[in-house]
Amino acid sequence: MSEAELRAWAPDGVPEVRAGDDLSAIVASAVGALEPGDVVVVSSKIVSKAEGRQVVAEDREQAITDETVRVVAKREQPGGGTTRIVENRLGIVGAAAGVDASNVEPGTVLLLPEDPDASAARLRRALVAATGSSVGVIVTDTLGRPWRRGQTDIAIGAAGVAPVDDLRGLPDASGRPMNVAVVAVADEIASLADLVKGKAENRPIAVVRGVGRYVLDEDGAGARSVVRTGDEDMFRLGSAEAYAEGYGDGYAEGSKESADAAEDEIDGGAW
């Protein structure tokens, strides 16, 4: 059996990115020579900065509200403040709608890129032109998980990378068909890259080598395609919110039944 190997690295010396900067030139300079099949992983923060997504907002909470499409859960914290898990304009469910107040000028916040898949596609085209190699690009952000502590990076934008690898119907090592195996390729590459980028080391760009089988000749479906919506979303509310909604619906139904029963008594001549 042949060996499988991955390599990931994050270059130092990436300059501070500001609105209007040529991000593709910055990324190309940082990563240097690329090989066909490499995937360049870029933190959404520098994408947002280059695209001018830093906005004036004295109150981060109001900025979160403005970016929120749907509130999933809300909890008061023992030390003060409120954690809000919401769906943002991109369909992503996470804390604070992706609004970031770290490493930005006082009185401002940073919003996520308006269209991360389009941002990834622009970067990919520029890198292919600059390096002459067929590469993929992933734009990442950090999210928590409902049933596990801690955070991990996920792909919020992707171009030239298959976002998932659907193995359903294929045989496993024992020859039995797999029924539910859909590998979250873009998210797994994003989390791998985060281990070398770090959170406070000013290394917002990484290269992952050894995943060429997932690199495409075209932009592909993008990261937005993996977001669960509608009937696929089995966890639209937090536990307390679901209980309150169910209680409210039950109370309303009970009140309606009581009112209907009283009306029937009146119509039946009980009064």
Side-chain angles (χ1 to χ4, degrees):
M1 180 180 293
S2 61
E3 293 182 348
E5 181 178 276
L6 293 176
R7 182 186 172 208
W9 69 95
D12 287 318
V14 177
E16 178 65 24
V17 176
R18 304 187 185 281
D21 283 351
D22 186 346
L23 185 61
S24 60
I26 292 172
V27 173
S29 176
V31 299
L34 295 173
E35 295 182 2
D38 285 349
V39 176
V40 178
V41 184
V42 182
S43 296
S44 61
K45 177 169 287 189
I46 65 170
V47 178
S48 292
K49 287 183 175 181
E51 294 179 356
R53 298 288 285 165
Q54 189 166 328
V55 299
V56 174
E58 296 295 337
D59 182 3
R60 179 176 180 245
E61 294 303 311
Q62 183 58 49
I64 294 170
T65 298
D66 293 342
E67 291 297 303
T68 295
V69 172
R70 174 175 60 90
V71 176
V72 176
K74 182 169 61 175
R75 298 290 183 274
E76 302 298 326
Q77 297 301 315
T82 303
T83 296
R84 284 188 281 173
I85 305 299
V86 304
E87 177 186 342
N88 67 12
R89 299 177 189 274
L90 299 172
I92 299 170
V93 174
V99 176
D100 193 349
S102 63
N103 297 318
V104 294
E105 297 175 7
T108 68
V109 297
L110 195 64
L111 309 181
L112 291 176
E114 191 169 355
D115 186 343
D117 282 333
S119 301
R122 286 192 293 270
L123 273 174
R124 175 178 176 265
R125 286 193 294 270
L127 288 173
V128 170
T131 66
S133 295
S134 178
V135 298
V137 172
I138 291 176
V139 176
T140 69
D141 194 37
T142 304
L143 265 71
R145 288 80 50 79
W147 300 285
R148 301 181 71 84
R149 297 184 186 276
Q151 296 83 36
T152 185
D153 269 22
I154 69 161
I156 65 169
V161 180
V164 297
D165 188 15
D166 191 344
L167 303 177
R168 290 173 296 182
L170 296 177
D172 64 13
S174 301
R176 292 174 294 188
M178 294 181 282
N179 297 318
V180 296
V182 181
V183 181
V185 172
D187 285 345
E188 292 190 336
I189 294 173
S191 62
L192 168 63
D194 185 50
L195 294 176
V196 292
K197 287 190 298 175
K199 296 299 183 189
E201 290 81 2
N202 193 31
R203 292 196 295 263
I205 303 166
V207 180
V208 177
R209 181 167 293 167
V211 290
R213 62 191 181 279
Y214 301 118
V215 173
L216 310 172
D217 292 330
E218 65 281 348
D219 286 341
R224 185 68 181 262
S225 67
V226 305
V227 176
R228 291 188 186 274
T229 59
D231 293 340
E232 287 188 322
D233 185 355
M234 298 174 64
F235 310 100
R236 290 189 61 79
L237 294 172
S239 56
E241 288 75 15
Y243 179 88
E245 185 175 289
Y247 180 87
D249 288 347
Y251 184 85
E253 183 64 26
S255 299
K256 180 178 181 299
E257 289 178 357
S258 296
D260 290 344
E263 185 175 341
D264 290 341
E265 289 185 6
I266 294 173
D267 292 342
W271 292 89

